[in-house]
Amino acid sequence: MRSLLAANGRMGLEPFLRGGWQALGWVVGETLINVSTVLAMLLLAGRFTGVGPWSSTELFFMVGFVLVSRGLANIFSGRNVLMISRKIGRGQLDHVLVQPIPVWKALAAEGFSPFDLAATLVVGVGTLAWSVTALPRTHDALWFGALLLNVAGSACVIVAYQYLWGALAFWSPRGAEEVNSVSAAVVSDLSAYPLDAAPRAVLSTLVTVVPVGFIGWIPTRELLQTAHGPGVGVLAGPAAALTLAAITFAVFRRGLRRYERYGSGRYSDFGHRR
Amino acid sequence: MHAFFATMRISAAMPVSDTPFRIIGLGLRVLQFGVLVGIWRSLPADRLAASGLTVSALLTYSALAQAVGPLLNPQTSLTEHIANGSLAVRMLWPMGVVSQFASEMLGAIVPITLVGAAVISGAALLFHVPLTGAGSPSLFVLSLLLAIVVGLAVDFWFALLTVRLGNGIWFVNAIRAACTSVISGALIPLSLMPWHVGRVLQVLPFAAMASGPLRVYTQSSGAATLLASQAAWAIVLWAGVVWWAAKSRDKVVGQGG
């Protein structure tokens, strides 16, 4: 496993080994693509003293938290591993199944991209570190432990959510690719906003059917205790991550069994991307 | 013009199997709108007033931006056809390149925009968001048409950029998609941006794609200046497209077109 991770990690150096403008273009492009999704929130945090119960610094904390979570998810799920519907629908899951290691290990190794997809994590760590030092209160080791646990939980929510929608490709290869693109857009577009004043119907949706509230808003709200009244606790984010992961695991396993029985539909007469 | 509208009609007939995904995409717009409604209502009123905006105008601005969203960032399939070499076939069509790609794109997004506008209007009523702006609706329509013309020119600029970058289509499109909604003012009004960022963005062509028509509808004054700015950008950008396309002809041919 270690050698597989190392080999995939080295492949991530490819954009940089091209050198010159191509390497610079990759770094700038990757940074722009990822930071632009939180740019609106950063700009609002810079312009106003706060949004509702959130101060500017707390908003920066939320943005940093989300970028770190997304960065972690990207680093361990690069090369279409996060967009699993593509691998399933296009028959590329066969490449994973023929390997003499468990599916999860093969996917984790294949998606490992510590260099080429590190831009989000680097920007996120910087933003998070700055905001923690700027917050008007001190934090103990327990708080930092809770922070790390919640970051891991948020990254898990992102991966599990993408896999839950992506698993639809076992049944509907073409449709799932479209849905998976939209689900990825939901994560990137809506995960770094404070949802305190969102209309009730929208808020309910964002903490259930589309659980992006558990990626940024709820974990950071609990860590910073910005909520008016009782919160749901710092373990709410990781607990939601575990629940979602369990549901995703069950759905994915069921889909995998179907795939093992029928194989990829790509090579049939009406196959997707034949 | 008959060929233009015929292509639009053909393009508008989307496969039935695409309907669920369009509905999901529309749902995302409603959610984003709801999130923005919550944020605008949470902003400190005094700081908002300093930006020359009211909460009411801000809510209308966002409702309109989501309602006509696809028209504020028009994207044709030109880059894909350049990337996979099928532009050569398109050049044999009995229509100009601009005309065929524009009609195809408009045919695909106009029906979605109409349905989306109805759904967002319903959501606006549900969220108690006013839909009536201080500006003139007819001037807004004119401004929206100019925004589409500017947006198409920007799309052609990006397509020619992919030619120059040796077909980096995915990368260019991703950067474009990522940045345009923020720097065009489609997501948040440019006047709400800090450190004079908004003033700089206001003079860029991206502002003519979204911020222009949205301000024409939500502001009571300044429509003439905004329309003139959009018209100027349309002329400059299309003149640039013609010049750059002629200059890139050899490269386009080399890449299959």
Side-chain angles (χ1 to χ4, degrees), chain B residues 83-205:
Chain B
N84 61 29
S86 53
L87 187 62
V89 179
R90 286 303 194 96
M91 283 176 152
L92 299 174
W93 280 25
M95 282 174 83
V97 171
V98 173
S99 180
Q100 57 178 278
F101 280 106
S103 58
E104 187 184 57
M105 182 272 296
L106 287 171
I109 65 171
V110 166
I112 299 169
T113 307
L114 291 174
V115 174
V119 172
I120 294 290
S121 302
L125 290 174
L126 198 68
F127 302 155
H128 307 292
V129 169
L131 288 171
T132 315
S136 151
S138 52
L139 286 181
F140 164 71
V141 172
L142 179 62
S143 181
L144 187 60
L145 290 174
L146 281 169
I148 294 168
V149 173
V150 172
L152 270 171
V154 169
D155 182 68
F156 273 69
W157 270 88
F158 273 104
L160 289 167
L161 185 64
T162 60
V163 173
R164 287 279 155 183
L165 290 177
N167 249 340
I169 169 180
W170 178 87
F171 211 50
V172 170
N173 277 347
I175 293 173
R176 175 193 170 176
C179 298
T180 307
S181 68
V182 175
I183 64 176
S184 68
L187 195 57
I188 58 173
L190 300 179
S191 59
L192 288 190
M193 294 189 180
W195 315 302
H196 304 296
V197 173
R199 283 189 193 170
V200 176
L201 294 178
Q202 203 67 67
V203 296
L204 296 182

Side-chain angles (χ1 to χ4, degrees), chain B residues 23-118:
Chain B
I23 292 171
I24 293 171
L26 190 54
L28 172 61
R29 274 161 64 192
V30 172
L31 287 176
Q32 192 170 44
F33 175 49
V35 170
L36 286 173
V37 166
I39 288 175
W40 298 151
R41 286 188 172 139
S42 308
L43 290 178
D46 54 330
R47 299 292 297 267
L48 198 56
S51 306
L53 282 164
T54 61
V55 176
S56 175
L58 205 47
L59 292 169
T60 309
Y61 186 100
S62 279
L64 195 60
Q66 294 293 340
V68 296
L71 296 175
L72 302 180
N73 184 18
Q75 195 162 358
T76 69
S77 58
L78 178 59
T79 45
E80 288 164 39
H81 284 284
I82 290 174
N84 61 29
S86 53
L87 187 62
V89 179
R90 286 303 194 96
M91 283 176 152
L92 299 174
W93 280 25
M95 282 174 83
V97 171
V98 173
S99 180
Q100 57 178 278
F101 280 106
S103 58
E104 187 184 57
M105 182 272 296
L106 287 171
I109 65 171
V110 166
I112 299 169
T113 307
L114 291 174
V115 174

Side-chain angles (χ1 to χ4, degrees), chain A residues 25-26 29-30 32-33 36 39-40 43-44 46-52 174-175 178-179 182 185-186 189-190 193-195 197-199 202 205-206, chain B residues 17-18 21 24-25 28 31-32 34-40 42-44 47-48 50-51 127 171 174-175 178-179 182 187-188 191-195:
Chain A
W26 177 268
E30 269 298 308
L32 272 177
I33 288 166
S36 65
L39 196 57
L43 289 167
L44 286 176
R47 178 74 170 81
F48 295 94
T49 49
V51 174
R174 184 182 178 280
E178 303 283 347
V179 172
V182 176
V186 170
D189 289 355
L190 297 178
Y193 285 107
L195 304 176
V202 172
T205 309
L206 293 179
Chain B
S17 58
D18 277 357
F21 318 123
I24 293 171
L28 172 61
L31 287 176
Q32 192 170 44
V35 170
L36 286 173
V37 166
I39 288 175
W40 298 151
S42 308
L43 290 178
R47 299 292 297 267
L48 198 56
S51 306
F127 302 155
F171 211 50
I175 293 173
C179 298
V182 175
L187 195 57
I188 58 173
S191 59
L192 288 190
M193 294 189 180
W195 315 302

Side-chain angles (χ1 to χ4, degrees), chain A residues 31 35 38 42 63-64 67-68 118-129:
Chain A
T31 310
V35 173
V38 294
L42 284 174
V63 167
L67 285 177
V68 170
T120 314
L121 188 65
V122 171
V123 176
V125 167
T127 312
L128 192 63

Side-chain angles (χ1 to χ4, degrees), chain B residues 206-229:
Chain B
F206 299 102
M209 292 165 59
S211 177
L214 297 174
R215 284 176 66 197
V216 163
Y217 188 71
T218 52
Q219 291 180 4
S220 54
S221 59
T225 313
L226 288 166
L227 287 167
S229 159

